[in-house]
Amino acid sequence: MSESPLAANPYEVLGVAPTASDDDLKRAYRRRLRQAHPDTGGSSAEFDRVQQAWQRIGTPSARYAYDSGADVGAGGSAAWTSGSAGGAGGARRGDSRPNAKSHGHPGGMYRERYLAMMREWVGRGAALDDPYDPQLVRSAPREIRHTLAAAVAEEKTATALATLGIGFTIWHDVVAGAGPDDKVDHVVLGPTGLWAVLSEDWGGPVKVKRGDLIGEGLASGEKPLHQLGMRAKTIARSAKVKFSGLVIVVEDTQAPASLTELGSVRGAQGMLVERSRLVNLLRTGLPGVGVGGTDLFEVRTRLQASIRFV
């Protein structure tokens, strides 16, 4: 099961309350298996989710481990603690190749916001020994969990981007407007072009509709690609550069395909990509997409002079 703070927990997957008896849990598991089986109108993905949920809480020892937060695979404290997902300079262990040059603090703004929101929700003066305690996170309102999920998504993407190598330069958490949320998560410059990258985790699958994204986790009227395009335009105007691509990165299995074209936005190619495919996309680029003959050093100099961080 996903380690996302927004992921449905095993009790939700099985359709029972956390206080359900062991017998009720078994009956719910058998019922959900029948409902989720592909031969009875379900799907293989849902069938797998039910089985994984049972593995997490199907025995007294497993259930105790999950309920107490000892099951790190369920999204435990260690999985969400700041820095555990990897920082901007985090290279793969055993890989001696130089990393891409990185600037800024990926996920930093959302980490600070999450801690402030969590303290406010718990209550002023109340003890908050571990703001990433899995029981605490699971019980928090969706807005708080989404903020943590966004921070973790940025950190994971930053770790992947670092492996692009010395031919690339990356700026994280770049100011892209006057509002507190007006930022671009990652600006990536390399031989294949200039890319504006949004890292997201909406807690479930997304689909493409009319050139943008829809899904249960997205707010009504939310248009991630359009929003990313507007923010990239702000940076482009300030630095007098042109973006080659706009990339929305989601968790693996959350997109209809590993790589989906979303159409052109203000001259930049929109893409939806699963994180495992991101580095390959940026290294190889897209046909006809690049820096338009502009010298990379000049573009880098313009960006370095104009970029500000949140």
Side-chain angles (χ1 to χ4, degrees), residues 161 164 168-171 186-190 193-197 282:
L161 292 174
L164 282 167
F168 289 81
T169 305
I170 309 161
W171 296 265
H186 321 275
V187 174
V188 183
L189 175 66
L194 178 62
W195 308 81
V197 181
L282 299 186

Side-chain angles (χ1 to χ4, degrees), residues 14-255:
L14 297 179
V16 296
T19 55
S21 68
D22 290 343
D23 288 340
D24 286 343
L25 194 65
K26 290 178 182 178
R27 283 192 288 269
Y29 168 60
R30 292 165 183 161
R31 180 176 64 254
R32 289 291 292 122
L33 269 185
R34 293 193 296 270
Q35 295 171 342
H37 198 284
D39 293 342
T40 57
S43 67
S44 57
E46 183 65 16
F47 190 74
D48 288 343
R49 288 182 71 215
V50 172
Q51 290 182 310
Q52 290 169 14
W54 178 251
Q55 290 174 0
R56 285 276 164 79
I57 59 174
T59 65
S61 59
R63 188 176 184 181
Y64 175 80
Y66 180 84
D67 290 344
S68 64
D71 178 8
V72 177
S77 177
W80 298 331
T81 301
S82 181
S84 62
R92 293 169 296 184
R93 183 169 295 181
D95 190 345
S96 60
R97 292 177 296 179
N99 288 350
K101 189 171 182 60
S102 299
H103 308 272
H105 186 183
M109 187 193 83
Y110 284 133
R111 285 282 179 185
E112 291 181 1
R113 182 178 295 180
Y114 167 76
L115 292 174
M117 293 170 70
M118 183 60 81
R119 290 191 183 100
E120 184 69 24
W121 177 66
V122 169
R124 297 183 184 277
L128 186 59
D129 297 331
D130 181 5
Y132 301 105
D133 176 80
Q135 291 176 299
L136 180 66
V137 173
R138 286 199 295 266
S139 63
R142 179 181 172 82
E143 181 184 5
I144 296 179
R145 290 184 288 121
H146 186 200
T147 301
L148 176 58
V152 173
E154 284 189 29
E155 292 162 356
K156 288 181 177 179
T157 297
T159 299
L161 292 174
T163 66
L164 282 167
I166 59 175
F168 289 81
T169 305
I170 309 161
W171 296 265
H172 302 286
D173 264 2
V174 176
V175 170
D181 292 313
D182 289 335
K183 74 181 184 75
V184 171
D185 297 346
H186 321 275
V187 174
V188 183
L189 175 66
T192 57
L194 178 62
W195 308 81
V197 181
L198 166 67
S199 298
E200 252 297 358
D201 176 5
W202 286 288
V206 295
K207 298 179 181 179
V208 179
K209 183 177 182 180
R210 297 176 184 174
D212 219 310
L213 304 184
I214 60 172
E216 292 184 3
L218 277 75
S220 177
E222 187 175 356
K223 296 181 178 180
L225 182 63
H226 173 76
Q227 194 171 55
L228 179 59
M230 294 296 292
R231 293 173 180 174
K233 179 182 177 182
T234 299
I235 296 173
R237 281 181 172 176
S238 175
K240 294 181 173 57
V241 296
K242 182 178 180 181
F243 278 91
S244 313
L246 308 173
V247 183
I248 299 177
V249 184
V250 295
E251 299 290 315
D252 286 8
T253 74
Q254 288 188 354

Side-chain angles (χ1 to χ4, degrees), residues 267-279:
Q269 176 63 52
M271 305 293 299
L272 172 63
V273 59
E274 292 183 341
R275 186 174 293 107
S276 62
R277 182 75 181 275
L278 175 63
V279 169

